[in-house]
Amino acid sequence: MKVTVEDGTFASFVARPAVARASGGSVVVLHESSGLNDDIRSKCEAVAACGFLAIAPNLFWREELGIDTLAKPERENRSGTDHSVAFDHDRGVNDIAAVVRAVRETTNASARIGVMGFGLGGLLAYLAAARLPIDAAVVFYGPRIERHLAEVIRISIPLMMHVGSEDALVTPAALVAIEHALSHNANAQILRYPASGHAFARQAGAHYNAEAADLALNRTTAFLKLHLA
């Protein structure tokens, strides 16, 4: 799927549900600092298997067209992180907005759309929940959300956040601040996973925790079905 914005055109990976299972809803899946790789594509396929159209935009298209940095432990703190540090969050949210518009133009315009993001994508999912006309948001990890708490007042949609109890990028103090900021939203929930570090749901990652990942993804599926189907 090609999406055009002011300064160019970027690609998105699309996974479509079987016709018999299609719910009419769509989910924009946002990748981590490791890019649009096999792990994100497999998550799109899982979302599609639940009846949703899944779209994963290549958010790093300006930095490296067609990036496919495999999420291997020895690379986690090199090229992927460099892209994440330099990434323009406002441009990223604008790209997500363009994807949302494109989905509405090519599918049922009244169908519900959610956003699900991992790592950097989790932060962008949070910002999208505050800024864009979407119906639900799911945040995995969400590093640096505590730097954007001024936007939380604009979040009224259902939001689910998954955080590992041993995530070094989401400190206990940051998590307390996020919880306090989201307390106004009765539809927001933060779920913690014991003995789990950052990126615990990334299958190729150094901190993959299969039990926690399965639980988080099952909870996410139920959440999406409740709010998007």
Side-chain angles (χ1 to χ4, degrees), residues 67-191:
I67 188 171
D68 191 18
T69 308
L70 292 178
K72 295 180 180 179
E74 64 270 23
R75 299 192 66 169
E76 284 175 359
N77 293 319
R78 292 215 282 268
S79 65
T81 300
D82 291 340
H83 283 292
S84 176
V85 170
F87 189 78
D88 185 323
H89 298 136
D90 294 330
R91 268 186 164 181
V93 174
N94 289 340
D95 287 349
I96 297 163
V99 173
V100 170
R101 287 193 298 270
V103 170
R104 288 206 163 110
E105 289 170 0
T106 56
T107 61
N108 182 351
S110 63
R112 291 176 171 267
I113 298 180
V115 172
M116 176 172 71
F118 299 81
L120 169 65
L123 169 58
L124 293 173
Y126 164 86
L127 294 175
R131 302 180 189 180
L132 303 184
I134 58 176
D135 300 289
V138 179
V139 173
F140 278 78
Y141 333 130
R144 299 188 293 280
I145 283 179
E146 71 277 6
R147 302 180 188 178
H148 302 271
L149 294 183
E151 305 213 32
V152 76
I153 195 66
R154 292 186 286 181
I155 299 178
S156 58
I157 62 171
L159 183 145
M160 173 179 279
M161 183 173 177
H162 305 284
V163 184
S165 62
E166 299 176 7
D167 192 328
L169 300 185
V170 184
T171 66
L175 195 53
V176 168
I178 295 167
E179 287 178 327
H180 178 74
L182 284 171
S183 61
H184 78 284
N185 184 349
N187 291 319
Q189 53 185 313
I190 299 177
L191 304 171

Side-chain angles (χ1 to χ4, degrees), residues 36-87:
L36 179 49
N37 55 33
D38 286 344
D39 182 64
I40 293 298
R41 284 190 283 267
S42 70
K43 287 180 170 60
C44 287
E45 299 287 1
V47 168
C50 295
F52 299 102
L53 176 68
I55 312 98
N58 174 15
L59 298 171
F60 291 159
W61 66 276
R62 292 181 182 87
E63 290 79 8
E64 186 175 339
L65 186 62
I67 188 171
D68 191 18
T69 308
L70 292 178
K72 295 180 180 179
E74 64 270 23
R75 299 192 66 169
E76 284 175 359
N77 293 319
R78 292 215 282 268
S79 65
T81 300
D82 291 340
H83 283 292
S84 176
V85 170
F87 189 78

